[in-house]
Structures are given as structure tokens and as C-alpha cells.
Amino acid sequence: MGTAIASNLPAFPFIGPDSDPFVPVDAPDLARLDGPVSKVRLPFGGWAWLVTRHADVRQLLRHPGFSSDQYRPGFPVLNPIPPEQKDAAGLFIFMDGDAHSRLRRMLTTEFMIKNIRRLEPLIEETVVDALERMRAAGPGVDLLSAFALPVPSMTICHLLGVPYADHDFFQHHSQVIMDRKSGPEEIGAALGALAGFLAGLIGIKRADPGEDLLSRLVAERVDTGELREDELVSMAMLLLVAGHETTANMIGMSALALLERPELLAALREDPSMAPNMVEELLRYATVVRTGLPRLALEDAEIGGQRIRAGEGVVAMLAMANRDGSVFTDPEEFDPLRQEAHRHMAFGFGLHQCIGQPLARAELRIALVELARRFPTLRSVKTRAEIPTRPLAVTFGLDELPVTW
Ligand code: HEM
């Protein structure tokens, strides 16, 4: 399609109304779509098919004829690729077929629920530590920087086996990467520092293995010749980047949703067994991967009755699939007891479905239960409408969440 035609299409990504971080698509944008699979104009040129229904998103994300390789010409780019990510040897999130499954397979055991359970005491410790520091700094803190951001980066530290003495270094550079105020040079320097640190750590793990992911991958994959060291370094960076901002934004959005309904925080305090379903509903309701998942058709296909030709871009709109009324009753309502909550696709679906989801679930559950338990009088200083958001970041989230108690 020529640029002239593309310019008449609705401009994607859609941004919800300013006042409501939980409304993923504004009504006027919805009204401009001319069907469940319809054309939208992309922010960096060209157009793509927007796939919005739950069943169609599933069909798309498990279809082997669609590529995740954002380096291919014609790929529907939603976020420009930072130059520092070009060292992509282990970034299997952008790979297809055997190249993707070869690397992903090496991590599947690591992220199995039973292995994540072993990390739970450390997550608990991390969460409690962050909350007690927050208590000491307050009352009156930004919950995002005091709590939501440190928890995932410390958790990745534990997972990878970063020695205690290096936690501050790791944490500092992770925060720079995630900080909205960091410039591209700062981010590039932080990514470089972490990659250098991880390369050094691999040497240490080889000499002195521990009970951690890096030690196991060095012994079982690198030293057997299955995996190159540079692949392992960028795989570890992928875990850091994919697991950090997503989880932090989810902790922030979840805290806001619960602070708006203090009776839910009280219920969680009384009965922590509510947490797992509440977390599923929060994942559905917040869907932080707001702009959806882009793919490039490598062959002609039909999705949701729409013919898609090889070379065309598509976007799986998770946030809309998670509000599909044929799957979720009263989809715009936040209902922590919702039975079908687990059917959400906040972690994607199919071949690239989030490998870190057992870890993310454990972090969210522990974070929310401890928050409810330790801060019974916690409240947000601002209303939903007053809190600035980050609509165009890779994952959607709040810019700050000032709280007091
Ligand atoms: C993939 C969401 C936490 C590691 C994905 C995808 C989504 C997602 C939607 C699919 C991407 C695609 O199909 O293109 C989330 C959300 C999280 C979260 C909402 C938190 C609430 C984590 C954590 C880790 C992680 C904690 C690891 C420490 C990954 C990796 C992939 C991935 C490695 C790529 C999988 C593949 O390509 O096969 N995530 N994620 N994520 N996620 Fe997560």
C-alpha cells in the first residue's frame, strides 16, 4: 500500500484516554477500526493488520508462517531497535524456527514452576527488604522507584547468581536502562557495563560454580560446545530486559488497582490464597504489553477470516484480546474473583509465550501479599487521573505512584 493510502488509516499505537491507565484503547480509536482484523498506520512508516479478537490472536501467535525477526525488511516496527541491541546472538525473542527453539529450550527447565519455587524464599527476602527500606524512607515515597523497580532486578540477580557484593552494581545499571530519563548514550553505556560484567561473571562461574542459572548453563551448555559465550551473555541480558520493566510496571499497576479498592487489600491480607487468581485478573486488566506483538507474514495466511499476504505486517493486540467479551464476561470490569481470568494472553501465546511467567507470577503474588500485610494503611496520594503514565514505552506503566501510610 502506498504512503498516501496508509495516511488515511487510524494511527497506531493507540493511546488510551489520559485519565485512565486501565483503558487500553480510547473509544474514538476503537470506532475507527473497520473490523476485528483491520489496517492501521504504523508510527515509523507503513501499515499493518491489527488482530484484536482472542481466538484470532491465538491463531496468529501459534502460526509458524509469521516471523518475530524484527531485523527483516518490512517488519512492522513498533519500537525502534536501539543500536546497542544489535549484538543479538542470544536474543531469541526475535528469532524464528530452529534458531529460536534451540536457545529457548536451554532455558525451559530453569523456568519450570518447581525450579522457580526454589527461588521463592529469595524473592520473599527481596520483597520484604525493599518494603522495609521503603518504610524507613517514608511515609511519602514513590512506590515505583522504592519497590516496583528494585524487586525484579534483584530477582534476576538471584536467578543469574550475581554475587551479593555486586548487587548494587547490577541494580544501578539495570535502573539506568529502565529509567525513562536516561539518554541513549547512558543506556548504551549501562548495557555495555552489564554485558562486560556478565562476561566476567561467566569466567567466575566456570572456576567456582554455584546453584544458579549461569553456573548451570556454563557447565552444561557452554563447556560442552553447545552454546557460545557471547550467546549466553546476550541471553542473560534478554532475561534482564524482558523481565524487568514488564514486572515492575505490573507491580505498579497492580498496586494502583488495589489501592483504589482498599477492601481488596484487606481481603488479601486476611486470605492470601486469593492472590493467584487476583494476579491473573490484574495481568488481564492491565496488559502492560499494550502495543501488542508485531509479526511479519512469511507466507499467505488467513487470520480471523482476513487474507494476509506474505510480506505484510500484523500486530497481535493482546490488550484488546484480553477484553474480548466472548471470553471474559463484563470485560471492562476488574473482578479479582473472575473464573476465566487465567485465559488472558498478557504473556503472549504460542511459540514465544513468555518463558518467565512462573517467575513473574511468583514476584507479583509475593509483592502484593507482603504489601497488603506490611502496609495496612497504604494509600495513593493521587487519583488514577492524576498519575502520569508511559503510554509509548515498550511496556505500558505508570510514571510514578506516590504513596503514603
Ligand atoms: C516473552 C510478557 C515477565 C522473559 C514475553 C512475551 C510477552 C511477555 C507478551 C511474548 C513476546 C512475543 O511473543 O514476541 C511479560 C510480562 C511479564 C513478563 C507481562 C511480567 C508481568 C518476564 C520475566 C522474564 C521474562 C520475569 C524472565 C526473567 C521473557 C523471555 C521472552 C518473553 C525470555 C521471550 C520468549 C521467546 O521468545 O520464546 N514476555 N513477561 N518475562 N519473556 Fe516475558
Side-chain angles (χ1 to χ4, degrees), residues 40-74:
V40 290
R41 176 155 52 98
L42 295 175
F44 303 99
W47 62 277
W49 295 105
L50 192 71
V51 180
T52 60
R53 286 191 299 213
H54 192 272
D56 301 344
V57 167
R58 283 165 69 98
Q59 191 198 353
L60 166 64
L61 293 178
R62 71 175 155 220
H63 196 304
F66 288 88
S67 172
S68 285
D69 182 355
Q70 60 170 357
Y71 304 98
R72 276 179 196 265

Side-chain angles (χ1 to χ4, degrees), residues 14-327:
F14 302 139
I15 302 169
D18 283 348
S19 54
D20 200 332
F22 293 102
V23 174
V25 182
D26 218 345
D29 282 323
L30 271 184
R32 293 200 65 201
L33 293 177
D34 64 1
V37 182
S38 65
K39 288 177 180 173
V40 290
R41 176 155 52 98
L42 295 175
F44 303 99
W47 62 277
W49 295 105
L50 192 71
V51 180
T52 60
R53 286 191 299 213
H54 192 272
D56 301 344
V57 167
R58 283 165 69 98
Q59 191 198 353
L60 166 64
L61 293 178
R62 71 175 155 220
H63 196 304
F66 288 88
S67 172
S68 285
D69 182 355
Q70 60 170 357
Y71 304 98
R72 276 179 196 265
F75 192 88
V77 176
L78 299 180
N79 300 100
I81 309 161
E84 53 282 354
Q85 260 187 28
K86 293 256 162 71
D87 174 21
L91 302 186
F92 60 89
I93 194 166
F94 302 128
M95 296 179 187
D96 300 327
D98 292 345
H100 167 253
S101 51
R102 168 184 163 254
L103 296 175
R104 180 176 166 117
R105 243 192 345 253
M106 294 184 196
L107 289 179
T108 41
T109 321
E110 293 291 338
F111 284 95
M112 273 161 47
I113 293 175
K114 68 174 198 300
N115 289 330
I116 295 304
R117 279 219 182 98
R118 288 196 308 211
L119 263 181
E120 283 190 12
L122 285 169
I123 301 175
E124 181 85 39
E125 212 175 281
T126 300
V127 162
V128 170
D129 184 54
L131 286 175
E132 290 312 320
R133 281 182 204 220
M134 178 170 116
R135 190 192 303 284
V141 298
D142 171 21
L143 189 92
L144 282 191
S145 49
F147 183 54
L149 277 160
V151 166
S153 72
M154 279 299 286
T155 303
I156 310 259
C157 263
H158 290 310
L159 180 84
L160 294 175
V162 173
Y164 189 75
D166 294 318
H167 280 188
D168 283 348
F169 173 89
F170 193 86
Q171 183 105 7
H172 168 74
H173 290 289
S174 317
Q175 303 295 350
V176 172
I177 296 169
M178 300 306 150
D179 190 340
R180 188 182 58 102
K181 291 165 221 95
S182 307
E185 273 170 30
E186 258 177 300
I187 294 180
L191 284 167
L194 279 176
F197 170 76
L198 287 167
L201 191 57
I202 287 172
I204 294 170
K205 299 291 176 188
R206 176 171 289 124
D208 182 17
E211 283 291 308
D212 54 70
L213 182 144
L214 274 186
S215 296
R216 280 189 291 273
L217 289 178
V218 170
E220 293 165 19
R221 310 288 182 176
V222 179
D223 289 351
T224 54
E226 242 182 290
L227 182 67
R228 295 197 317 268
E229 239 175 74
D230 64 318
E231 290 176 319
L232 178 53
V233 169
S234 61
M235 227 155 102
M237 296 290 285
L238 170 62
L239 295 181
L240 169 67
V241 173
H244 193 179
E245 198 180 348
T246 43
T247 312
N249 282 338
M250 259 314 296
I251 294 175
M253 293 282 280
S254 303
L256 175 61
L258 297 183
L259 291 177
E260 284 180 337
R261 287 172 58 183
E263 76 280 7
L264 285 180
L265 270 184
L268 194 57
R269 191 160 49 244
E270 296 285 302
D271 178 12
S273 73
M274 284 180 78
N277 203 70
M278 193 182 273
V279 164
E280 294 313 305
E281 175 67 349
L282 286 163
L283 285 159
R284 180 194 76 86
Y285 187 59
T287 316
V288 295
V289 182
R290 274 288 163 91
T291 52
L293 302 174
R295 297 288 192 263
L296 181 71
L298 300 179
E299 57 188 60
D300 291 356
E302 199 177 294
I303 300 291
Q306 175 63 53
R307 187 144 187 76
I308 299 192
R309 302 200 177 275
E312 290 178 347
V314 285
V315 177
M317 191 54 174
L318 305 178
M320 288 174 73
N322 283 347
R323 305 278 174 119
D324 184 331
S326 70
V327 176

